[in-house]
């Protein structure tokens, strides 16, 4: 059987495309630093957050030399902290977010970073990120959570190391 050389060429190109598509999908899944949020954050009583050691005082807790835990509660229609006061972390730190909801399902997305979780009552979404440079980020709720969903937003400030200490919530 003879295969025309143009047919061979197109077969080759089609094969190359398939390999390239598999390549981009694989890269997107494992190569781009994407971490899925699993259930390792644990659970919490959604209606007893004020009895929780950290969620009763949500905010930034120092856990090591350059590492911090940030506890955030999403509620209709604000983030605690985040909305009435920004979430504060120091630059050059590793930050582990622990996010839950006090009422209904909300979203927790730190715009222009890869921090993006659902805030589910009873569940703690846990994710770790590094913030190298000082800066300011918007925080948005991306799950429809009620009439004022579109107003539910907050702020995250990554402060220079020396400005941070004063604002820190004591752990
Ligand atoms: Cu909270 Cu939408």
């Amino acid at each position: 059987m003879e295969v025309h050389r143009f047919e061979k060429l197109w077969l080759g190109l089609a094969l190359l495309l398939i390999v390239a598509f598999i390549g981009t999908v694989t890269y997107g899944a494992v190569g781009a630093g994407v971490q899925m949020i699993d259930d390792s954050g644990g659970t919490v009583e959604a209606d007893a957050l004020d009895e929780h050691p950290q969620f009763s005082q949500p905010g930034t807790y120092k856990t090591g030399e350059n590492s911090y835990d940030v506890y955030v509660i999403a509620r209709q229609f604000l983030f605690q902290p985040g909305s009435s006061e920004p979430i504060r972390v120091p630059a050059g730190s590793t930050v582990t977010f622990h996010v839950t909801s006090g009422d209904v399902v909300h979203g927790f997305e730190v715009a222009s970073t890869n921090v993006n979780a659902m805030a589910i009552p009873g569940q703690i979404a846990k994710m770790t990120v590094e913030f190298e440079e000082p800066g300011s980020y918007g925080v948005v709720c991306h799950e429809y959570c009620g009439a004022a969903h579109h107003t539910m937003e907050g702020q995250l400030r990554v402060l220079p190391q020396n400005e941070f200490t004063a604002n820190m919530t004591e752990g």
Side-chain angles (χ1 to χ4, degrees), residues 27-88:
Y27 174 75
V30 298
V34 176
Q35 286 176 297
M36 299 304 284
I37 293 166
D38 55 20
D39 57 5
S40 67
T43 58
V44 65
E45 289 279 336
D47 48 12
L49 291 177
D50 47 3
E51 287 158 31
H52 187 275
Q54 286 86 26
F55 282 118
S56 57
Q57 284 282 340
T60 306
Y61 290 82
K62 191 175 171 77
T63 53
E65 180 81 36
N66 268 319
S67 53
Y68 296 84
D69 273 351
V70 173
Y71 288 81
V72 180
I73 302 173
R75 287 184 200 279
Q76 288 168 321
F77 296 97
L78 47 85
F79 296 103
Q80 281 178 280
S83 294
S84 57
E85 46 163 342
I87 299 166
R88 293 186 178 91

Short mmCIF file of all heavy atoms in Angstrom, two decimals, residues 27-88:
data_model
loop_
_atom_site.label_atom_id
_atom_site.label_comp_id
_atom_site.label_asym_id
_atom_site.label_seq_id
_atom_site.Cartn_x
_atom_site.Cartn_y
_atom_site.Cartn_z
N TYR A 27 0.96 19.71 31.72
CA TYR A 27 1.63 20.86 32.35
C TYR A 27 0.66 21.62 33.26
O TYR A 27 0.98 21.95 34.40
CB TYR A 27 2.21 21.79 31.30
CG TYR A 27 2.78 23.04 31.90
CD1 TYR A 27 4.00 23.00 32.58
CD2 TYR A 27 2.08 24.25 31.85
CE1 TYR A 27 4.51 24.13 33.17
CE2 TYR A 27 2.59 25.39 32.44
CZ TYR A 27 3.81 25.34 33.10
OH TYR A 27 4.30 26.45 33.70
N GLY A 28 -0.56 21.85 32.75
CA GLY A 28 -1.55 22.57 33.54
C GLY A 28 -1.90 21.86 34.83
O GLY A 28 -2.19 22.48 35.84
N ALA A 29 -1.87 20.53 34.79
CA ALA A 29 -2.28 19.76 35.96
C ALA A 29 -1.17 19.61 36.98
O ALA A 29 -1.40 19.69 38.19
CB ALA A 29 -2.78 18.38 35.53
N VAL A 30 0.07 19.40 36.53
CA VAL A 30 1.14 19.11 37.49
C VAL A 30 2.32 20.06 37.43
O VAL A 30 3.08 20.19 38.39
CB VAL A 30 1.66 17.65 37.34
CG1 VAL A 30 0.56 16.65 37.62
CG2 VAL A 30 2.25 17.41 35.96
N GLY A 31 2.50 20.76 36.32
CA GLY A 31 3.72 21.54 36.15
C GLY A 31 3.61 22.99 36.56
O GLY A 31 4.60 23.67 36.76
N ALA A 32 2.39 23.51 36.71
CA ALA A 32 2.23 24.94 36.93
C ALA A 32 2.10 25.29 38.41
O ALA A 32 1.65 26.37 38.77
CB ALA A 32 1.03 25.46 36.15
N GLY A 33 2.49 24.38 39.28
CA GLY A 33 2.41 24.66 40.71
C GLY A 33 0.98 24.64 41.22
O GLY A 33 0.67 25.25 42.24
N VAL A 34 0.10 23.94 40.51
CA VAL A 34 -1.29 23.89 40.93
C VAL A 34 -1.44 22.85 42.04
O VAL A 34 -0.99 21.72 41.92
CB VAL A 34 -2.22 23.52 39.75
CG1 VAL A 34 -3.65 23.36 40.21
CG2 VAL A 34 -2.12 24.56 38.66
N GLN A 35 -2.06 23.28 43.15
CA GLN A 35 -2.34 22.34 44.23
C GLN A 35 -3.84 22.31 44.44
O GLN A 35 -4.45 23.36 44.57
CB GLN A 35 -1.72 22.83 45.54
CG GLN A 35 -0.22 22.68 45.62
CD GLN A 35 0.27 23.28 46.91
OE1 GLN A 35 0.13 24.48 47.14
NE2 GLN A 35 0.83 22.45 47.78
N MET A 36 -4.39 21.14 44.46
CA MET A 36 -5.81 21.04 44.72
C MET A 36 -6.03 21.11 46.23
O MET A 36 -5.18 20.67 47.01
CB MET A 36 -6.38 19.72 44.19
CG MET A 36 -6.22 19.58 42.68
SD MET A 36 -6.96 20.95 41.77
CE MET A 36 -8.70 20.52 41.91
N ILE A 37 -7.15 21.67 46.61
CA ILE A 37 -7.47 21.73 48.03
C ILE A 37 -8.22 20.45 48.39
O ILE A 37 -9.26 20.15 47.80
CB ILE A 37 -8.29 22.98 48.34
CG1 ILE A 37 -7.39 24.20 48.12
CG2 ILE A 37 -8.83 22.95 49.77
CD1 ILE A 37 -8.11 25.50 48.07
N ASP A 38 -7.67 19.72 49.34
CA ASP A 38 -8.33 18.47 49.74
C ASP A 38 -8.94 18.65 51.14
O ASP A 38 -9.15 19.76 51.58
CB ASP A 38 -7.32 17.31 49.69
CG ASP A 38 -6.10 17.61 50.54
OD1 ASP A 38 -6.18 18.48 51.43
OD2 ASP A 38 -5.06 16.95 50.32
N ASP A 39 -9.22 17.54 51.81
CA ASP A 39 -9.87 17.66 53.11
C ASP A 39 -8.86 17.68 54.27
O ASP A 39 -9.24 17.50 55.42
CB ASP A 39 -10.93 16.57 53.30
CG ASP A 39 -10.34 15.18 53.14
OD1 ASP A 39 -9.09 15.07 52.99
OD2 ASP A 39 -11.10 14.19 53.15
N SER A 40 -7.57 17.92 53.96
CA SER A 40 -6.56 17.89 55.02
C SER A 40 -6.71 19.05 56.01
O SER A 40 -6.12 19.03 57.08
CB SER A 40 -5.16 17.91 54.41
OG SER A 40 -4.93 19.16 53.78
N GLY A 41 -7.51 20.08 55.64
CA GLY A 41 -7.72 21.21 56.55
C GLY A 41 -8.59 20.84 57.74
O GLY A 41 -8.61 21.53 58.74
N GLY A 42 -9.32 19.74 57.63
CA GLY A 42 -10.15 19.28 58.74
C GLY A 42 -11.52 19.92 58.76
O GLY A 42 -11.93 20.59 57.82
N THR A 43 -12.21 19.70 59.85
CA THR A 43 -13.58 20.20 59.97
C THR A 43 -13.70 21.09 61.21
O THR A 43 -12.81 21.13 62.05
CB THR A 43 -14.59 19.04 60.09
OG1 THR A 43 -14.22 18.25 61.22
CG2 THR A 43 -14.57 18.16 58.85
N VAL A 44 -14.81 21.77 61.28
CA VAL A 44 -15.06 22.69 62.40
C VAL A 44 -16.57 22.82 62.55
O VAL A 44 -17.31 22.62 61.58
CB VAL A 44 -14.38 24.06 62.09
CG1 VAL A 44 -15.01 24.74 60.89
CG2 VAL A 44 -14.39 24.98 63.30
N GLU A 45 -17.02 23.11 63.76
CA GLU A 45 -18.45 23.33 63.97
C GLU A 45 -18.81 24.72 63.45
O GLU A 45 -18.36 25.72 64.01
CB GLU A 45 -18.79 23.29 65.47
CG GLU A 45 -18.70 21.92 66.09
CD GLU A 45 -19.94 21.08 65.83
OE1 GLU A 45 -21.02 21.66 65.58
OE2 GLU A 45 -19.83 19.84 65.88
N ALA A 46 -19.60 24.77 62.38
CA ALA A 46 -19.87 26.07 61.74
C ALA A 46 -20.59 27.03 62.67
O ALA A 46 -20.40 28.24 62.60
CB ALA A 46 -20.67 25.86 60.47
N ASP A 47 -21.41 26.52 63.59
CA ASP A 47 -22.15 27.44 64.47
C ASP A 47 -21.46 27.61 65.83
O ASP A 47 -22.03 28.19 66.75
CB ASP A 47 -23.62 27.02 64.62
CG ASP A 47 -23.76 25.54 64.92
OD1 ASP A 47 -22.71 24.90 65.23
OD2 ASP A 47 -24.87 25.01 64.82
N ALA A 48 -20.23 27.11 65.93
CA ALA A 48 -19.49 27.30 67.18
C ALA A 48 -18.07 27.82 66.89
O ALA A 48 -17.13 27.47 67.57
CB ALA A 48 -19.43 25.99 67.97
N LEU A 49 -17.98 28.68 65.87
CA LEU A 49 -16.66 29.19 65.50
C LEU A 49 -16.05 30.04 66.62
O LEU A 49 -14.83 30.12 66.75
CB LEU A 49 -16.74 30.02 64.21
CG LEU A 49 -17.04 29.22 62.93
CD1 LEU A 49 -17.18 30.14 61.74
CD2 LEU A 49 -15.97 28.18 62.68
N ASP A 50 -16.91 30.63 67.45
CA ASP A 50 -16.37 31.47 68.53
C ASP A 50 -15.80 30.64 69.68
O ASP A 50 -15.24 31.18 70.63
CB ASP A 50 -17.39 32.50 69.02
CG ASP A 50 -18.75 31.88 69.27
OD1 ASP A 50 -18.87 30.63 69.11
OD2 ASP A 50 -19.69 32.61 69.62
N GLU A 51 -15.93 29.32 69.57
CA GLU A 51 -15.29 28.46 70.58
C GLU A 51 -14.01 27.84 70.05
O GLU A 51 -13.30 27.14 70.77
CB GLU A 51 -16.26 27.34 71.00
CG GLU A 51 -17.38 27.86 71.88
CD GLU A 51 -18.59 26.95 71.86
OE1 GLU A 51 -18.40 25.72 71.71
OE2 GLU A 51 -19.72 27.47 71.96
N HIS A 52 -13.74 28.07 68.77
CA HIS A 52 -12.54 27.51 68.14
C HIS A 52 -11.32 28.34 68.57
O HIS A 52 -11.39 29.56 68.65
CB HIS A 52 -12.72 27.55 66.63
CG HIS A 52 -11.63 26.85 65.87
ND1 HIS A 52 -10.45 27.48 65.54
CD2 HIS A 52 -11.54 25.58 65.38
CE1 HIS A 52 -9.68 26.61 64.87
NE2 HIS A 52 -10.32 25.45 64.77
N PRO A 53 -10.16 27.67 68.86
CA PRO A 53 -8.99 28.42 69.34
C PRO A 53 -8.54 29.54 68.40
O PRO A 53 -8.10 30.59 68.88
CB PRO A 53 -7.91 27.36 69.50
CG PRO A 53 -8.44 26.11 68.85
CD PRO A 53 -9.93 26.23 68.86
N GLN A 54 -8.62 29.33 67.08
CA GLN A 54 -8.17 30.38 66.16
C GLN A 54 -9.33 31.11 65.48
O GLN A 54 -9.29 32.33 65.33
CB GLN A 54 -7.24 29.81 65.08
CG GLN A 54 -5.85 29.46 65.56
CD GLN A 54 -5.78 28.05 66.15
OE1 GLN A 54 -6.56 27.18 65.79
NE2 GLN A 54 -4.83 27.84 67.05
N PHE A 55 -10.36 30.39 65.08
CA PHE A 55 -11.46 31.06 64.38
C PHE A 55 -12.22 32.03 65.30
O PHE A 55 -12.89 32.94 64.83
CB PHE A 55 -12.43 30.06 63.75
CG PHE A 55 -11.90 29.46 62.47
CD1 PHE A 55 -11.67 28.11 62.37
CD2 PHE A 55 -11.64 30.27 61.36
CE1 PHE A 55 -11.18 27.56 61.19
CE2 PHE A 55 -11.14 29.74 60.18
CZ PHE A 55 -10.91 28.37 60.10
N SER A 56 -12.08 31.83 66.61
CA SER A 56 -12.70 32.80 67.53
C SER A 56 -11.98 34.14 67.46
O SER A 56 -12.55 35.17 67.81
CB SER A 56 -12.66 32.25 68.96
OG SER A 56 -11.33 31.97 69.32
N GLN A 57 -10.73 34.12 67.03
CA GLN A 57 -9.93 35.33 66.85
C GLN A 57 -9.31 35.25 65.45
O GLN A 57 -8.10 35.08 65.33
CB GLN A 57 -8.78 35.37 67.87
CG GLN A 57 -9.16 35.73 69.28
CD GLN A 57 -9.37 37.22 69.44
OE1 GLN A 57 -8.90 38.01 68.63
NE2 GLN A 57 -10.08 37.62 70.47
N PRO A 58 -10.11 35.30 64.40
CA PRO A 58 -9.52 35.09 63.07
C PRO A 58 -8.48 36.15 62.75
O PRO A 58 -8.60 37.29 63.21
CB PRO A 58 -10.72 35.17 62.12
CG PRO A 58 -11.77 35.91 62.87
CD PRO A 58 -11.54 35.63 64.31
N GLY A 59 -7.46 35.77 62.02
CA GLY A 59 -6.39 36.70 61.69
C GLY A 59 -5.10 35.95 61.44
O GLY A 59 -5.12 34.76 61.14
N THR A 60 -4.00 36.66 61.59
CA THR A 60 -2.68 36.12 61.25
C THR A 60 -1.95 35.64 62.49
O THR A 60 -1.80 36.39 63.46
CB THR A 60 -1.85 37.20 60.53
OG1 THR A 60 -2.60 37.69 59.43
CG2 THR A 60 -0.53 36.64 60.04
N TYR A 61 -1.52 34.40 62.47
CA TYR A 61 -0.78 33.80 63.58
C TYR A 61 0.60 33.38 63.10
O TYR A 61 0.72 32.74 62.06
CB TYR A 61 -1.51 32.55 64.10
CG TYR A 61 -2.79 32.84 64.82
CD1 TYR A 61 -3.97 33.06 64.12
CD2 TYR A 61 -2.82 32.88 66.22
CE1 TYR A 61 -5.16 33.32 64.80
CE2 TYR A 61 -4.01 33.13 66.90
CZ TYR A 61 -5.17 33.35 66.18
OH TYR A 61 -6.34 33.60 66.85
N LYS A 62 1.60 33.74 63.87
CA LYS A 62 2.97 33.35 63.52
C LYS A 62 3.18 31.90 63.94
O LYS A 62 2.86 31.52 65.06
CB LYS A 62 3.96 34.26 64.23
CG LYS A 62 5.40 34.12 63.76
CD LYS A 62 6.27 35.16 64.47
CE LYS A 62 7.75 34.94 64.19
NZ LYS A 62 8.20 35.39 62.88
N THR A 63 3.72 31.08 63.03
CA THR A 63 3.91 29.67 63.37
C THR A 63 5.36 29.25 63.29
O THR A 63 5.71 28.15 63.70
CB THR A 63 3.10 28.77 62.42
OG1 THR A 63 3.45 29.10 61.08
CG2 THR A 63 1.61 28.94 62.62
N GLY A 64 6.21 30.12 62.74
CA GLY A 64 7.63 29.77 62.61
C GLY A 64 8.40 31.00 62.18
O GLY A 64 7.83 32.09 62.07
N GLU A 65 9.67 30.80 61.93
CA GLU A 65 10.58 31.89 61.51
C GLU A 65 9.92 32.80 60.48
O GLU A 65 9.78 34.00 60.67
CB GLU A 65 11.85 31.26 60.94
CG GLU A 65 12.89 32.25 60.46
CD GLU A 65 13.74 32.80 61.60
OE1 GLU A 65 14.02 32.02 62.54
OE2 GLU A 65 14.11 33.98 61.55
N ASN A 66 9.48 32.21 59.37
CA ASN A 66 8.88 32.99 58.28
C ASN A 66 7.57 32.40 57.84
O ASN A 66 7.19 32.51 56.68
CB ASN A 66 9.84 33.03 57.08
CG ASN A 66 10.74 34.24 57.15
OD1 ASN A 66 10.29 35.33 57.50
ND2 ASN A 66 12.00 34.04 56.86
N SER A 67 6.90 31.73 58.76
CA SER A 67 5.65 31.11 58.35
C SER A 67 4.50 31.57 59.24
O SER A 67 4.68 31.82 60.44
CB SER A 67 5.79 29.58 58.34
OG SER A 67 6.27 29.15 59.58
N TYR A 68 3.36 31.69 58.62
CA TYR A 68 2.18 32.23 59.29
C TYR A 68 0.96 31.42 58.92
O TYR A 68 0.88 30.87 57.82
CB TYR A 68 1.97 33.69 58.87
CG TYR A 68 3.11 34.57 59.32
CD1 TYR A 68 4.26 34.67 58.54
CD2 TYR A 68 3.06 35.26 60.52
CE1 TYR A 68 5.33 35.44 58.95
CE2 TYR A 68 4.12 36.03 60.94
CZ TYR A 68 5.26 36.12 60.15
OH TYR A 68 6.31 36.88 60.58
N ASP A 69 0.02 31.37 59.84
CA ASP A 69 -1.29 30.80 59.57
C ASP A 69 -2.26 31.97 59.52
O ASP A 69 -2.23 32.84 60.40
CB ASP A 69 -1.72 29.86 60.70
CG ASP A 69 -1.21 28.43 60.48
OD1 ASP A 69 -0.69 28.15 59.38
OD2 ASP A 69 -1.32 27.62 61.42
N VAL A 70 -3.12 31.97 58.53
CA VAL A 70 -4.14 33.01 58.46
C VAL A 70 -5.51 32.33 58.52
O VAL A 70 -5.82 31.47 57.69
CB VAL A 70 -4.02 33.86 57.17
CG1 VAL A 70 -5.20 34.81 57.04
CG2 VAL A 70 -2.72 34.64 57.17
N TYR A 71 -6.29 32.70 59.52
CA TYR A 71 -7.64 32.15 59.68
C TYR A 71 -8.65 33.18 59.19
O TYR A 71 -8.60 34.33 59.62
CB TYR A 71 -7.90 31.79 61.16
CG TYR A 71 -7.10 30.57 61.57
CD1 TYR A 71 -5.76 30.67 61.92
CD2 TYR A 71 -7.69 29.31 61.56
CE1 TYR A 71 -5.02 29.54 62.26
CE2 TYR A 71 -6.96 28.18 61.90
CZ TYR A 71 -5.64 28.30 62.25
OH TYR A 71 -4.91 27.19 62.57
N VAL A 72 -9.50 32.75 58.28
CA VAL A 72 -10.49 33.65 57.71
C VAL A 72 -11.87 33.01 57.77
O VAL A 72 -12.03 31.83 57.42
CB VAL A 72 -10.15 34.00 56.23
CG1 VAL A 72 -11.20 34.94 55.65
CG2 VAL A 72 -8.77 34.60 56.10
N ILE A 73 -12.85 33.80 58.21
CA ILE A 73 -14.24 33.33 58.18
C ILE A 73 -14.99 34.13 57.12
O ILE A 73 -14.91 35.36 57.08
CB ILE A 73 -14.94 33.53 59.54
CG1 ILE A 73 -14.19 32.80 60.66
CG2 ILE A 73 -16.39 33.06 59.47
CD1 ILE A 73 -14.72 33.10 62.05
N ALA A 74 -15.69 33.42 56.25
CA ALA A 74 -16.55 34.07 55.27
C ALA A 74 -17.98 34.04 55.82
O ALA A 74 -18.42 33.03 56.35
CB ALA A 74 -16.48 33.33 53.94
N ARG A 75 -18.63 35.19 55.75
CA ARG A 75 -20.02 35.29 56.19
C ARG A 75 -20.76 36.19 55.21
O ARG A 75 -20.14 37.02 54.56
CB ARG A 75 -20.12 35.94 57.58
CG ARG A 75 -19.69 35.07 58.72
CD ARG A 75 -19.95 35.84 60.04
NE ARG A 75 -19.15 35.32 61.14
CZ ARG A 75 -19.48 34.24 61.84
NH1 ARG A 75 -20.57 33.58 61.56
NH2 ARG A 75 -18.70 33.83 62.83
N GLN A 76 -22.09 36.08 55.19
CA GLN A 76 -22.88 37.02 54.39
C GLN A 76 -22.70 38.42 55.01
O GLN A 76 -23.14 38.61 56.14
CB GLN A 76 -24.35 36.63 54.41
CG GLN A 76 -24.62 35.36 53.58
CD GLN A 76 -26.01 34.81 53.84
OE1 GLN A 76 -26.48 34.82 54.97
NE2 GLN A 76 -26.65 34.30 52.81
N PHE A 77 -22.05 39.38 54.43
CA PHE A 77 -21.38 39.35 53.14
C PHE A 77 -20.02 39.98 53.31
O PHE A 77 -19.72 41.02 52.76
CB PHE A 77 -22.21 40.15 52.10
CG PHE A 77 -23.57 39.49 51.86
CD1 PHE A 77 -24.70 39.94 52.52
CD2 PHE A 77 -23.68 38.41 50.98
CE1 PHE A 77 -25.93 39.32 52.31
CE2 PHE A 77 -24.91 37.79 50.77
CZ PHE A 77 -26.03 38.24 51.43
N LEU A 78 -19.22 39.32 54.14
CA LEU A 78 -17.89 39.85 54.40
C LEU A 78 -16.91 38.76 54.76
O LEU A 78 -17.29 37.62 55.04
CB LEU A 78 -17.95 40.91 55.52
CG LEU A 78 -18.73 40.56 56.79
CD1 LEU A 78 -17.87 39.79 57.77
CD2 LEU A 78 -19.25 41.82 57.45
N PHE A 79 -15.63 39.14 54.71
CA PHE A 79 -14.56 38.25 55.15
C PHE A 79 -14.00 38.80 56.46
O PHE A 79 -13.76 40.00 56.58
CB PHE A 79 -13.42 38.19 54.12
CG PHE A 79 -13.82 37.60 52.81
CD1 PHE A 79 -14.05 38.42 51.71
CD2 PHE A 79 -13.96 36.23 52.66
CE1 PHE A 79 -14.42 37.88 50.49
CE2 PHE A 79 -14.34 35.68 51.44
CZ PHE A 79 -14.56 36.51 50.36
N GLN A 80 -13.82 37.89 57.43
CA GLN A 80 -13.26 38.27 58.72
C GLN A 80 -11.93 37.56 58.93
O GLN A 80 -11.96 36.34 59.11
CB GLN A 80 -14.18 37.79 59.85
CG GLN A 80 -15.40 38.59 60.16
CD GLN A 80 -16.15 37.87 61.28
OE1 GLN A 80 -16.86 36.90 61.03
NE2 GLN A 80 -15.93 38.30 62.50
N PRO A 81 -10.78 38.22 58.90
CA PRO A 81 -10.60 39.60 58.48
C PRO A 81 -10.61 39.67 56.96
O PRO A 81 -10.70 38.65 56.30
CB PRO A 81 -9.22 39.93 59.04
CG PRO A 81 -8.48 38.63 58.99
CD PRO A 81 -9.52 37.56 59.25
N GLY A 82 -10.51 40.88 56.45
CA GLY A 82 -10.47 41.06 55.01
C GLY A 82 -11.35 42.21 54.57
O GLY A 82 -10.93 43.06 53.81
N SER A 83 -12.59 42.24 55.12
CA SER A 83 -13.51 43.27 54.64
C SER A 83 -13.42 44.57 55.43
O SER A 83 -13.10 45.62 54.87
CB SER A 83 -14.94 42.73 54.64
OG SER A 83 -15.05 41.69 53.70
N SER A 84 -13.67 44.52 56.75
CA SER A 84 -13.61 45.79 57.49
C SER A 84 -12.16 46.17 57.80
O SER A 84 -11.86 47.34 58.01
CB SER A 84 -14.45 45.72 58.77
OG SER A 84 -14.03 44.64 59.56
N GLU A 85 -11.27 45.19 57.83
CA GLU A 85 -9.83 45.46 57.93
C GLU A 85 -9.14 44.44 57.04
O GLU A 85 -9.64 43.32 56.89
CB GLU A 85 -9.36 45.31 59.39
CG GLU A 85 -9.91 44.05 60.02
CD GLU A 85 -9.18 43.62 61.28
OE1 GLU A 85 -8.06 44.07 61.52
OE2 GLU A 85 -9.74 42.80 62.01
N PRO A 86 -8.02 44.83 56.42
CA PRO A 86 -7.38 43.89 55.50
C PRO A 86 -6.74 42.71 56.24
O PRO A 86 -6.43 42.81 57.43
CB PRO A 86 -6.31 44.73 54.80
CG PRO A 86 -6.10 45.91 55.65
CD PRO A 86 -7.35 46.14 56.44
N ILE A 87 -6.57 41.60 55.53
CA ILE A 87 -5.74 40.51 56.03
C ILE A 87 -4.31 41.01 55.88
O ILE A 87 -3.95 41.54 54.83
CB ILE A 87 -5.94 39.24 55.16
CG1 ILE A 87 -7.39 38.77 55.21
CG2 ILE A 87 -4.98 38.14 55.61
CD1 ILE A 87 -7.74 37.74 54.13
N ARG A 88 -3.51 40.87 56.92
CA ARG A 88 -2.13 41.36 56.84
C ARG A 88 -1.15 40.22 57.01
O ARG A 88 -1.26 39.43 57.95
CB ARG A 88 -1.87 42.39 57.94
CG ARG A 88 -2.65 43.68 57.76
CD ARG A 88 -2.23 44.68 58.80
NE ARG A 88 -2.92 45.95 58.63
CZ ARG A 88 -4.06 46.25 59.23
NH1 ARG A 88 -4.62 45.37 60.04
NH2 ARG A 88 -4.63 47.42 59.03
#
